[in-house]
Amino acid sequence: MTEYFGKKYAEVDEAFLAPPAALVAPRLIGCVLHHDNHGAETAIMLIDVEAYGGGSDRASHLHPENRSRRNRGATNLTPHGTVRIHGYRDMWAMDIVCGEGGAGSTVLVRAGLPVAGIDIMAERRSLPKGADMSIKQRKPGYEKKLCNAPCKLAEGLGIYPELDGASLLKRPFRLLRPVEPVTNLLNGERVGVTQDRELPWRWGHPDHQAWLAKKFPPKDPK
């Protein structure tokens, strides 16, 4: 058992990631993901995720209409509990593979709250041309910008394309879940999709919306 923020966390097992992505995604909120990039360890609490349902989901990377050279990388049929690294040029994002039988059911990790290795993340996020100057100069509040969107998160964690298909349950990764799951989750439509956009398959942490580049819309007061 491990503690973060005064709360107890346990290791995630394969069964935790076996259901379809739409069931796994909300339970990932509040989990802590570690990545050890050749001795440089970083960790984030997952605070924003989106579910994608594989080839039948028109917003999924795996839907025939969305396959392209721009979305290269990624082993499409790896088993649940592995990661899918996808992107374009040097910009990468990470999905967690869920479900049975390699159906392409995945959860996009959209944003995280830094837990460990903040200086390492800041250094990585300061390197690219056109990097955010508030991070580069360590201005007040820069921590909120380190992992507040998918590609920024992957850059901060030191994710690279050769990790595609790697197990999330073995080094260099480590995933822990809160013993008491987060409740009152934020929920809404996925970001930047034009197909199947009515599906409410995005979930967020209710206490950390200030750490998101793309905020959840206010709840309908009806």
Side-chain angles (χ1 to χ4, degrees):
M1 201 73 68
T2 305
E3 285 197 9
Y4 301 99
F5 317 108
K7 297 181 180 180
K8 293 182 179 180
Y9 282 71
E11 297 278 352
V12 165
D13 58 17
E14 288 188 8
F16 184 87
L17 300 170
L23 298 179
V24 173
R27 66 170 68 170
L28 284 169
I29 295 296
C31 289
V32 172
L33 173 65
H34 287 255
H35 178 232
D36 183 350
N37 184 331
H38 304 95
E41 184 161 355
T42 51
I44 57 170
M45 176 197 290
L46 305 186
I47 59 173
D48 186 6
V49 299
E50 290 178 341
Y52 288 87
S56 62
D57 177 3
R58 291 179 297 167
S60 170
H61 298 297
L62 302 186
H63 192 276
E65 295 178 4
N66 298 327
R67 295 180 187 275
S68 71
R69 294 179 182 177
R70 289 176 63 86
N71 185 39
R72 68 184 182 84
T75 303
N76 293 335
L77 299 178
T78 54
H80 65 267
T82 57
V83 296
R84 178 175 183 265
I85 311 302
H86 57 95
Y88 179 58
R89 293 180 178 170
D90 294 326
M91 298 179 65
W92 303 102
M94 181 172 69
D95 285 32
I96 296 173
V97 180
C98 309
E100 299 290 352
S105 181
T106 66
V107 177
L108 171 65
V109 182
R110 283 196 51 84
L113 186 152
V115 172
I118 291 179
D119 289 340
I120 298 172
M121 294 183 197
E123 187 63 28
R124 289 171 178 159
R125 295 277 289 106
S126 298
L127 292 176
K129 184 178 181 181
D132 191 316
M133 292 303 294
S134 63
I135 296 176
K136 200 164 187 176
Q137 297 173 4
R138 309 296 195 268
K139 292 183 177 180
Y142 78 90
E143 300 94 339
K144 289 185 172 66
K145 298 182 178 182
L146 292 176
C147 299
N148 64 355
C151 292
K152 296 177 182 179
L153 178 151
E155 187 173 59
L157 287 179
I159 300 300
Y160 46 93
E162 288 77 14
L163 289 170
D164 183 51
S167 173
L168 193 63
L169 309 179
K170 301 176 182 178
R171 294 188 69 83
F173 293 108
R174 188 182 183 210
L175 182 64
L176 301 101
R177 60 173 177 82
V179 173
E180 296 183 10
V182 179
T183 58
N184 300 317
L185 300 181
L186 302 172
N187 181 225
E189 297 177 352
R190 295 174 292 187
V191 176
V193 301
T194 56
Q195 302 289 339
D196 291 336
R197 63 178 302 172
E198 72 281 0
L199 295 174
W201 279 5
R202 181 190 179 201
W203 288 269
H205 199 296
D207 299 333
H208 302 298
Q209 182 152 210
W211 294 72
L212 306 182
K214 183 69 174 179
K215 307 292 190 291
F216 282 76
K219 290 185 177 180
D220 191 334
K222 64 183 178 181

